[in-house]
Amino acid sequence: MTARLAKYAKVFTIGIQNTFVYRWAFVLRSVVGIVPLIGTLFLWQGVFGSGGGTVAGYTFSAMILYFAMTVLMENLVTPTDDEWQIAGEIRDGRLSFLLLKPMNYLAYRFSLYASYRLLYSAILAPGIVIVFFALREHIILPSNPSTWLAFAGSTILAALLQFFIAYTIAMLAFWILEISTIIFITYSFEYFLSGRIFPLDMLPPWLSGVVKWAPFSYELYFPVQIFMERVKGAALAEGLAIQAGWVVVMWLAAVTLWRRGVKKYQAVGG
Amino acid sequence: MNRYLAIYRLTFRNSLIREMNFKANFLLWMIVESCWFIGQMAFIEVLYGHVNEIAGWTKWQLVCLVGTHQIISQIFQGFFYINLANLPELIRTGRLDIMLALPVDAQFAVSTRQVSFDCFVNTFVGIGIVVLSLVKLGITPDAWSVVLYLFAIVLGVAVHYAVMFSLAAVSFWMIRGQALIHGYFNLFHIGRYPDVVFRGVFKFIFTWIMPIILVSNVPAKLLARPFESPWTGLATLIAATAIVLGLTRAWWLFALKRYGSASS
């Protein structure tokens, strides 16, 4: 058991080293990555106008906190390159090389994903601190310790969910040569339905069922709602259960597609 | 000049043949873009379900702005996007050498390798949306406004080109310049918002240094907000376009001097 874990710990370290080589690309990317947040803040300032008031139950400060948290969550858990790399390994036949190693591919990719996310967050940390400091008058941290606990749990589930979705989509590369269109279509759903551009409770009531049962809202929106203490008690427990359910479903999909895909794998070019 | 036109005609023809060979791919890219565009429209619908105006912009004025952004970005993507997105890879692998040896301007060569026709279909979707917004606003633009609108669209495409080209050229210094390609989408994300919402230092940066907020706002206001005088906006857009195109050219020549080629 320890030997097995040590193996993946090694992959994790290699992942960190690989990422660190490209730290400047990282820094530049995140500087440019902050632009949509700036735009969003200005747009919502325009939406709220000069007067106070609320929009869909959010005060201006609450809205700012919502977007600051969404961006933070996105940086923590959203995979940036993983699906492209996995699909690339399958398509180019580089997978053969990994199949020969005594390693589980899913665990291997997850170690890389985890190292990438952790290092990314560490590099971004100063930037995130600056953004939160600049917005400090709008930031209210939850006072209840159980909120922090639920938020941490939900964030981990969100990370697993996002990773398994990316991995499952990438598995399609076993059957389809060019999957970038499929990845971009998934992105568009994730973008609008995970709450990245507006809080999902702004949607008309007849869509609330979709929000509740589709996996997308559990990628970002739900953990942020927990953090803002907008979801509590029974609804919180129910949400966590649905989120965990989706994690299991996507994990099963990932494992099943992998088993079938490897049987079909032809190692083109490898 | 004629030679360049002749070369471009050939590129156009070859791209069309290629596109015909991958019809499924052509359709899928159209679907991708439609998903994003429908999302945009849904966002506007959701916003205006809660408020009547945003910084003085009504719903259909904003629709006209987003439609205009769609027209500009799709024309840019049709002609240039894929070529500029490939630039980091050309630099990394050293395949740029071949382009430099061609008897045409190297910037022209790397910028015009292929044309993506699916984007032009999406341009028509954008045009449809702009027309719809004008019908809803009850505005019939005169011929003069339409001419100015088209002129501003061309300038907008030039600004998109300049910004993305400059980002892509950073990869002369940095491997994995691909990360910067996402930067294009991040930056132009804010091009769909009314310019009046921006204040202070950000307004200055995104008007003069990277004239992103002018690009769609100037033409959209020409049509959807005829009560505003367009001249200041147009003059600013012309000046800013000239500046960024000049800077891009200088940046490219400077970067080329540093280019040592890879693996050769």
Side-chain angles (χ1 to χ4, degrees):
Chain A
M1 186 66 196
T2 4
R4 278 180 66 185
L5 276 181
K7 197 162 64 186
Y8 295 110
K10 191 73 201 163
V11 174
F12 184 87
T13 346
I14 291 171
I16 286 200
Q17 286 165 354
N18 274 342
T19 314
F20 206 67
V21 173
Y22 302 112
R23 58 198 175 279
W24 285 111
F26 252 33
V27 172
L28 257 168
R29 185 177 184 164
S30 50
V31 168
V32 182
I34 208 73
V35 170
L37 178 65
I38 294 170
T40 301
L41 297 184
F42 277 116
L43 178 73
W44 287 94
Q45 210 168 28
V47 170
F48 278 85
S50 45
T54 59
V55 174
Y58 288 84
T59 60
F60 180 59
S61 287
M63 199 58 98
I64 300 291
L65 176 60
Y66 176 83
F67 283 108
M69 284 306 294
T70 310
V71 169
L72 174 65
M73 281 291 296
E74 198 185 334
N75 282 309
L76 273 178
V77 300
T78 303
T80 33
D81 241 3
D82 303 69
E83 57 267 70
W84 302 100
Q85 289 176 7
I86 298 170
E89 280 176 355
I90 295 171
R91 196 183 45 223
D92 305 345
R94 270 175 291 152
L95 186 64
S96 318
F97 178 64
L98 292 156
L99 284 174
L100 293 175
K101 291 185 177 172
M103 250 194 285
N104 177 309
Y105 188 67
L106 188 127
Y108 166 76
R109 286 311 318 190
F110 187 76
S111 310
L112 284 180
Y113 162 78
S115 67
Y116 195 88
R117 287 333 311 161
L118 279 178
L119 191 72
Y120 192 83
S121 308
I123 292 178
L124 281 193
I128 289 168
V129 169
I130 292 169
V131 169
F132 272 73
F133 184 76
L135 301 173
R136 65 193 172 284
E137 55 178 308
H138 306 294
I139 308 288
I140 305 159
L141 300 178
S143 49
N144 197 333
S146 66
T147 304
W148 284 98
L149 198 65
F151 172 66
S154 183
T155 301
I156 291 168
L157 288 175
L160 289 170
L161 180 60
Q162 292 221 22
F163 172 76
F164 286 137
I165 289 178
Y167 186 91
T168 305
I169 300 284
M171 286 299 114
L172 296 178
F174 279 118
W175 292 272
I176 308 163
L177 203 59
E178 180 51 48
I179 65 159
S180 36
T181 45
I182 299 171
I183 294 180
F184 278 121
I185 290 170
T186 321
Y187 278 174
S188 71
F189 278 89
E190 290 183 320
Y191 190 73
F192 293 103
L193 291 174
S194 69
R196 219 166 293 184
I197 61 166
F198 59 87
L200 296 173
D201 43 5
M202 279 186 80
L203 283 169
W206 59 273
L207 277 169
S208 59
V210 178
V211 172
K212 186 175 164 186
W213 293 106
F216 304 111
S217 65
Y218 298 97
E219 292 184 37
L220 293 174
Y221 172 75
F222 183 65
V224 175
Q225 292 299 98
I226 297 178
F227 186 86
M228 294 177 71
E229 299 186 323
R230 290 175 68 92
V231 52
K232 289 176 195 158
L236 173 62
E238 189 189 38
L240 282 172
I242 299 174
Q243 194 181 21
W246 272 113
V247 171
V248 174
V249 168
M250 291 319 295
W251 172 68
L252 286 174
V255 173
T256 315
L257 282 181
W258 165 258
R259 282 206 192 115
R260 299 212 173 166
V262 165
K263 276 190 199 142
K264 229 199 131 258
Y265 179 61
Q266 294 168 335
V268 186
Chain B
M1 190 64 198
N2 273 334
R3 193 159 59 103
Y4 283 91
L5 279 177
I7 294 171
Y8 202 69
R9 199 171 300 133
L10 276 179
T11 308
F12 206 80
R13 194 169 151 261
N14 288 341
S15 303
L16 193 60
I17 293 170
R18 188 201 315 236
E19 209 83 84
M20 290 301 170
N21 282 330
F22 299 102
K23 287 198 190 70
N25 211 40
F26 177 84
L27 275 175
L28 276 169
W29 279 113
M30 269 175 53
I31 295 173
V32 169
E33 193 50 47
S34 307
C35 283
W36 286 95
F37 195 60
I38 290 167
Q40 307 268 329
M41 288 297 136
F43 177 46
I44 294 181
E45 192 65 39
V46 168
L47 269 181
Y48 283 93
H50 296 271
V51 292
N52 293 322
E53 56 158 55
I54 296 169
W57 285 63
T58 63
K59 176 174 165 184
W60 291 103
Q61 289 170 347
L62 194 61
V63 170
C64 180
L65 177 64
V66 174
T68 304
H69 175 83
Q70 176 80 354
I71 295 173
I72 297 171
S73 60
Q74 290 301 317
I75 293 177
F76 161 73
Q77 289 179 28
F79 285 112
F80 301 113
Y81 175 76
I82 190 74
N83 304 311
L84 303 189
N86 282 333
L87 184 59
E89 197 59 15
L90 287 179
I91 296 168
R92 195 180 67 80
T93 56
R95 274 183 289 147
L96 183 63
D97 299 3
I98 306 165
M99 324 288 305
L100 293 178
L102 294 176
V104 286
D105 182 76
Q107 189 179 354
F108 173 81
V110 296
S111 305
T112 58
R113 296 170 69 211
Q114 52 170 300
V115 182
S116 315
F117 288 89
D118 53 306
C119 297
F120 299 136
V121 180
N122 297 318
T123 308
F124 283 105
V125 175
I127 294 172
I129 291 293
V130 169
V131 171
L132 174 71
S133 73
L134 292 178
V135 170
K136 290 282 183 181
L137 287 166
I139 293 173
T140 321
D142 52 36
W144 187 228
S145 310
V146 175
V147 170
L148 286 180
Y149 180 81
L150 294 177
F151 174 62
I153 294 270
V154 173
L155 294 181
V157 173
V159 172
H160 276 245
Y161 170 82
V163 171
M164 171 121 179
F165 190 84
S166 310
L167 284 174
V170 173
S171 40
F172 275 103
W173 283 269
M174 218 166 61
I175 19 171
R176 277 221 185 162
Q178 285 97 325
L180 288 166
I181 299 305
H182 301 278
Y184 162 77
F185 291 101
N186 281 336
L187 287 172
F188 280 96
H189 184 93
I190 63 171
R192 301 183 285 244
Y193 300 154
D195 54 357
V196 283
V197 302
F198 293 94
R199 305 262 159 79
V201 61
F202 294 109
K203 182 164 188 130
F204 178 80
I205 291 175
F206 295 124
T207 304
W208 287 105
I209 299 174
M210 284 185 271
I212 292 163
I213 52 176
L214 288 172
V215 168
S216 308
N217 269 280
V218 170
K221 279 201 261 187
L222 265 167
L223 295 186
R225 294 166 73 86
F227 44 86
E228 280 187 44
S229 161
W231 302 112
T232 328
L234 263 176
T236 323
L237 181 59
I238 292 170
T241 310
I243 293 170
V244 287
L245 280 179
L247 285 177
T248 305
R249 182 67 183 174
W251 175 231
W252 162 252
L253 293 176
F254 174 66
L256 264 192
K257 280 208 182 115
R258 286 255 341 211
Y259 177 62
S261 180
S263 62
S264 58

